[in-house]
Amino acid sequence: MDPSKWTPTDIYDFTEEVNEKISLIVSQKLIEHRTKMLFSLNITLFLVFQLLLGGKSSMVTLTSNGYEGIVIAINPNVPEDEKLIQSIKEMIIEASPYLFHATKQKVYFKKISILIPMTWKSKPDYLMSRQESYEQADVLIAAPAQKNRDDPYTLQYGQCGQKGQYIHFTPSFLLSDNLLAYGPRGRVFVHEWAHLRWGVFDEYNDDQPFYMSRKKTIEVTGIQTAKESIMFMQNFDSVVDFCTSKTHNRDAPNLQNKMCKQRSTWDVIKESDDFQNVSSIKATHPPKSPTFILLRSNPRVVCLVLDKSESMQIEDRFIRMKQAVEIFLIQILEKGSFAGLVTFSDVAEIHAYLTKISDNSAYQKITENLPKKATGGTAICDGLKEGFKAIQLSNRSTFGTEIILLTDGEDPTISSCFDMVKDSGAIIHTIALGPAAARELEKLAKMTGGYRFYANKDTTGLIDAFCRISSRSGNLSEQAVQLESKYFNISRNRWISGRVPMDSTVGSDTYFVVTWTRSKPEMFLQSPKGKIYTTPDFREGKMNIRSARLSIPGIAETGPWIYRLKNKDLNYQLLTVIVTTRASSLTNVPVTVTAHVSENSAQYPSPIIVYARVSQGFLPILGMYVTAIIEDESGHQVTLELWDSGAGADAVKNDGVYSRYFLDYHRNGRYSLKVRAQAKKTRLRKKLSHYNHKAIYVAGYNVNGTIVGKGNTTPSKDVKKPHKGAGIYRVTLGGTFIVSGVFATTKSNTSLVFPPSKINDLQAKFEKKIIQLTWTAPGNSLDKGNASRYDVRISKDWQKLQDDFDNAIFISTSNLIPKMVGSKEKFAFKPEIKMKKKHTKVYIAIKAINEANLTSEISNIAVATYVIPNPGANIFATSLLRPRAACSEALVHPSPHPAPPPSRKRQLRRRGWRRLPPPTTSTPAVLAPRHSPAAAPPPPS
């Protein structure tokens, strides 16, 4: 029978063997026309930063049609290999003309920097790096998180058109010919660059290889036969373009259609900032090959530039600053780093030139000359000048060094030193303390690629900011991890208690710190095995800064550590608990949390998206309970639970990225972001695969006209297993963002401003003649609260439903009360549509409506197919021979004037197919190969 009678059940139950045969046939037909491509490449440096999703700095710029400032960084744990550098160059040289053609002669790769780790030997052609770092690089070269998992992919979790975080290639991918099933490396790079730079998505779907098209045929989602699209099968010679609006397949159930409202990849790309003022280059003047600069990472050098003006006496800011500095020098700064100290008020003063941090006593050489009290005004530029001077007089270049600038005041002359900062090549991390801190601080951080923090009422905020400023070298095993940061306002003689889980990925260099505001409390700590630590075990430093520290020798025990504190003062006082640690071994990668917001500034009523990524190296950690605490300049706090549900602000379900919209704007000014992530052992899962946005892998390739080998035979499906340990607890800061446009008359009722979020996971199926719908409930205001009602519409025409939703057939949902946001909704109805004898396709979409009658965007369009089975008919897989994939149905022919194709039956017979005997039950007959495919020989070495 024709494909219109082929139900999804038939496909999955009876065509498993058929699928494998089809995969080999199509791969052979397309791969046999592959031609070898040229490999070549080169790079430089341009000190302008752009923010990706508000969380990561990129130095990439587009100058005269050429991309400059791309940073490709090699992980310090990758063994030294000159061939790796050469392979990187060849990949980019090959990618540049491919990108140039795919973008209609508009852009190409011009200048690129390759960042060599300090673990590799120094060479004369390696220049000193400036603000480049592994953590902020555009492309990471690092070992796979799981053995033999060498998939090239892009970490991308923003909305359509938003930039990704980084591209990850493994050394094996760049050096091994056994992985060429992904296609030529230059083509793979362009595929991933489109993810990273322009925020487009893949046009294949491993989870749904088949779907029913609007033409009432069964289509294969994952086979490409046209010259488009690069986001589908970049590995075939015929594929040289991105999909356009004319060739894009809006039916295909892929992430590009879901995330970008059925728009083609080229439509999204050409709307990016890169293409707004760029004209095509004439074909007579093609761009030159890229140029390269080899840079080598430097030892970490940090100079603290701290405000000691009179206003620092307010709210114990001066004491809190000293507490934070001590924790940073002892617990956060990596051993072997260099640190210096400068303070400023009306004038600046160098207190310590660069000192190597080799042991716990080294910090005393830096802090012993700190001033005893805060006086004078605020001269920020003078402080920065002395900071650079402290570095230079220690026989160091300022290139690649870090300045931690902390101030609570303003300096009207601060803009006068911007040029000096740019020329220094240093990275400026800024900490704004209190609401009066200079508004230019964020600009200093942005122009140099530094972190930006804000601390005010949150007692631990200043310490948390220093804890977040760890090394950017890429060696996670050496970086400090913050497990706890909590404060308590306790009355006289009252005890408080808490527990801190120590999981198996951490435990080395563990510290418990307690601070107080009036008098030293009584302290008690119990290890998982019952060892007791009491007040005498906690040591106070020599600076008399109301803090005590307990260092756990060796590797801290795995399990819950229980602490108790008693306020012995006559009055209320604030007590804080800070816990930091490092990886349990140098070969173990700890679980980490990074947080940021979608934009560094927001104009009300534009919403901000809060992101938190929980991972162990490159692998996502699932099952976490993640909360964000957002504080404005008045001290008002909002707590948000972040979700990894694939609904609302969250782009992809179960990718270890937890997100949520932030809508509760109370005033203009700075807002700080703090994130807590925790989970019990029973809930934790580690996802044993990379993220979703990756180049497609083809199992088999052409050698002299024969499909051989399967390259990487490691299964690519997601496998989850419980995470070992006693649960996980992490705390981190996500920086600061600035809000404007909020007025005193601004309504606090967000439903009057924000509609419900779009439903993007609507699913539909027929059960007899009843359509069953499922979806995730949106909120009343984006993903907050619950909607008031739903508007469900159906149509037999997909396009009419998409373009004219309000005039489609209305389905009553009067008995459906929307659930709380994030809940699973179910709804069933019988469509009042005439059913055809053979089959009927029904398209369904939903809008959510809130209490103020604001309406969400139209949901994804789901399709339900009602099929009356014909047990005596045979399935003829027309659409499997001529699939309509990501863009077009056009076949790829070996010559420009192909002969007319033979009949479909002859096509099948030539490929080794036979018809199974007629069925004896209601099971329809299917097509099957005459014989099992012979085992493919191994790929050539």
Side-chain angles (χ1 to χ4, degrees), residues 134 137 169 257 373 419 575 774 857 907:
Y134 179 88
F169 294 127
N257 278 333
K373 64 177 182 177
D419 289 340
L575 304 182
T774 60
E857 297 179 42
Q907 285 181 333

Side-chain angles (χ1 to χ4, degrees), residues 25 73 86 99 120 130 144 199 241 255 319 369 430 482 501 511 518 673 689 697 710 735 901:
I25 290 173
Q86 184 60 31
L99 177 72
W120 289 28
R130 297 184 64 164
D241 291 316
L255 203 55
I319 292 291
N369 294 320
T430 61
Q482 190 173 6
Y511 289 91
R518 295 183 63 87
L673 170 63
S689 70
Y697 172 85
K710 289 196 176 183

Side-chain angles (χ1 to χ4, degrees), residues 271-468:
E271 289 183 4
S272 73
D273 293 340
D274 290 352
F275 293 88
Q276 299 313 299
N277 298 300
V278 172
S279 301
S280 297
I281 299 176
K282 294 181 180 179
T284 54
H285 298 86
K288 298 179 181 179
S289 285
T291 57
F292 300 87
I293 290 180
L294 302 182
L295 304 171
R296 187 171 183 270
S297 298
N298 307 310
R300 191 177 188 197
V301 174
V302 180
C303 187
L304 305 173
V305 179
L306 309 175
D307 190 344
K308 65 164 186 175
S309 63
E310 186 174 2
S311 57
M312 289 291 290
Q313 297 284 13
I314 301 172
E315 298 175 340
D316 278 342
R317 291 175 184 172
F318 200 53
I319 292 291
R320 289 163 56 196
M321 181 187 73
K322 290 182 178 181
Q323 292 171 347
V325 167
E326 185 178 58
I327 288 176
F328 175 76
L329 293 174
I330 296 177
Q331 301 172 216
I332 307 302
L333 192 60
E334 298 76 15
K335 296 296 187 291
S337 302
F338 294 84
L341 177 63
V342 170
T343 63
F344 64 90
S345 54
D346 297 305
V347 295
E349 180 182 358
I350 298 175
H351 293 277
Y353 294 97
L354 295 183
T355 302
K356 188 173 184 178
I357 305 298
S358 56
D359 54 45
N360 289 345
S361 63
Y363 83 94
Q364 295 179 5
K365 299 177 183 178
I366 301 173
T367 59
E368 60 187 5
N369 294 320
L370 269 173
K372 304 301 181 182
K373 64 177 182 177
T375 59
T378 306
I380 296 175
C381 278
D382 287 348
L384 290 172
K385 290 176 184 177
E386 289 301 296
F388 295 142
K389 184 177 178 181
I391 295 170
Q392 293 167 337
L393 293 180
S394 300
N395 297 319
R396 294 273 179 177
S397 168
T398 56
F399 283 10
T401 60
E402 300 170 62
I403 298 285
I404 299 179
L405 173 62
L406 182 152
T407 183
D408 71 344
E410 295 181 296
D411 180 356
T413 67
I414 189 171
S415 60
S416 66
C417 57
F418 283 175
D419 289 340
M420 175 190 68
V421 169
K422 291 178 183 178
D423 295 339
S424 72
I427 300 165
I428 311 294
H429 308 298
T430 61
I431 303 175
L433 183 55
R439 298 296 172 181
E440 295 85 355
L441 291 178
E442 283 76 14
K443 188 172 183 179
L444 281 171
K446 181 178 180 180
M447 72 172 62
T448 63
Y451 297 125
R452 38 193 278 176
F453 300 108
Y454 170 67
N456 188 21
K457 298 294 185 181
D458 187 338
T459 304
T460 63
L462 191 53
I463 292 175
D464 296 337
F466 275 94
C467 288
R468 179 64 183 86

Side-chain angles (χ1 to χ4, degrees), residues 651-677:
V652 180
K653 183 178 181 179
N654 287 340
D655 64 349
V657 179
Y658 302 76
S659 54
R660 193 84 180 274
Y661 287 107
F662 172 69
L663 312 175
D664 297 301
Y665 301 115
H666 282 260
R667 59 181 295 158
N668 295 321
R670 293 185 175 102
Y671 285 67
S672 65
L673 170 63
K674 184 175 184 175
V675 167
R676 294 181 179 274

